[in-house]
Amino acid sequence: MQRKRLIAANWKMHILPAGSCTPDSVYRTRANVDVWVFPSYMDLHSTQYHGLVTGAQCGRAEDDGAFTGDISMQMIADQRYHAVICGHSERRRYHNETDEMIARQVAAALRTGLIPILCAGETADQHDRGEAEDIVRKQISSVRMDPAVIIAYEPVWAIGTGKTPNPSDVEKMHLFIRSLLPAPEKMRIIYGGSVNGKNAASFFAQPNIDGALVGGSSLKPDEFRSIVEAA
Ligand code: 13P
């Protein structure tokens, strides 16, 4: 089955890249490649207003309540955003998000009509101990899976480090992940971790890598353009 490629720009806690909201922005989605942007909450409205397909970087599972500083999936959905990232390793690490919390976030995202991008991936130590598949299996199987979910395999040791796994090893992991999914041929599995304009094509040459979740390189419009063109 032909799965449409997705290039997702995770801008983390950075300001909008120059030119992102102009009519000729490289961050606009294309007929043959989905391009979605994930700005900080403060910029969600600007990117959406300017016609970029916009999602949130995280959201809370409860619809409302006394949770100072948090934003619910329901609130994100009410503003007609498209997607939400769930379980990014930086949320797991800095906000102590557990598999159980992430499972509830994915369920809330689905219930409110958002497309969840579920992140999974092993740390450097887990990788060295040969535990990558076990960790990823646990992270994915703790979520009640739905064909609408997109999986992002992001090995933690590759994020922001310039180190990348071999594309054929990523392909193997994506095949393993696919074997855990309810609609394996239909669901998109994207890769994240130090993707740039030079290495993107080598990932996209693998049949089970359906796109990329891009951090640092998504802040540089020319670099990002090369990634989208490679897709
Ligand atoms: P980098 O592309 O900067 O390695 O970040 C990847 C990432 O965390 C995307 O969510």
Side-chain angles (χ1 to χ4, degrees):
M1 177 189 279
Q2 188 69 19
R3 292 175 295 269
K4 193 173 180 186
R5 293 255 164 85
L6 164 65
I7 306 299
N10 178 7
W11 289 332
K12 308 192 179 185
M13 201 180 71
H14 299 287
I15 59 169
L16 291 182
S20 49
C21 291
T22 55
D24 60 349
S25 166
V26 299
Y27 300 98
R28 285 186 190 285
T29 199
R30 324 271 170 105
N32 51 353
V33 185
D34 283 332
V35 179
W36 300 353
V37 298
F38 295 80
S40 83
Y41 284 132
M42 306 308 286
D43 290 319
L44 283 168
H45 279 103
S46 328
T47 52
Q48 185 174 7
Y49 176 80
H50 287 97
L52 306 188
V53 180
T54 298
Q57 295 174 14
C58 62
R60 194 169 177 106
E62 292 80 1
D63 286 347
D64 73 348
F67 301 108
T68 301
D70 283 352
I71 294 180
S72 70
M73 295 295 180
Q74 184 66 62
M75 290 168 172
I76 297 166
D78 284 348
Q79 302 292 321
R80 300 177 184 280
Y81 295 108
H82 194 70
V84 61
I85 299 174
C86 297
H88 192 281
S89 62
E90 288 151 16
R91 299 292 306 176
R92 294 178 192 262
R93 178 164 177 207
Y94 300 123
H95 295 267
N96 299 318
E97 289 190 3
T98 62
D99 285 340
E100 189 268 332
M101 289 160 80
I102 293 158
R104 287 194 294 115
Q105 291 166 10
V106 170
L110 290 167
R111 173 165 44 77
T112 56
L114 291 163
I115 298 175
I117 299 185
L118 171 67
C119 299
E122 78 286 0
T123 64
D125 285 349
Q126 291 162 341
H127 180 78
D128 293 346
R129 290 198 295 266
E131 297 169 358
E133 283 193 358
D134 288 345
I135 295 296
V136 168
R137 181 196 292 111
K138 180 170 169 291
Q139 290 171 336
I140 288 179
S141 52
S142 58
V143 168
R144 186 133 181 247
M145 203 48 76
D146 179 282
V149 176
I150 294 169
I151 309 288
Y153 170 54
E154 295 210 309
V156 180
W157 53 273
I159 296 178
T161 59
K163 288 188 215 157
T164 53
N166 196 309
S168 60
D169 290 338
V170 177
E171 169 70 8
K172 263 190 234 149
M173 179 60 92
H174 283 211
L175 270 173
F176 171 70
I177 294 171
R178 216 170 272 297
S179 74
L180 306 172
L181 302 179
E185 286 308 310
K186 178 168 171 263
M187 292 172 71
R188 290 191 281 191
I189 308 174
I190 61 177
Y191 165 74
S194 296
V195 174
N196 59 38
K198 289 206 176 68
N199 63 24
S202 65
F203 289 111
F204 303 150
Q206 304 290 334
N208 284 285
I209 302 181
D210 303 318
L213 180 54
V214 188
S217 295
S218 73
L219 295 163
K220 302 174 202 148
D222 288 339
E223 187 86 22
F224 190 71
R225 180 190 318 241
S226 311
I227 297 171
V228 175
E229 281 169 3

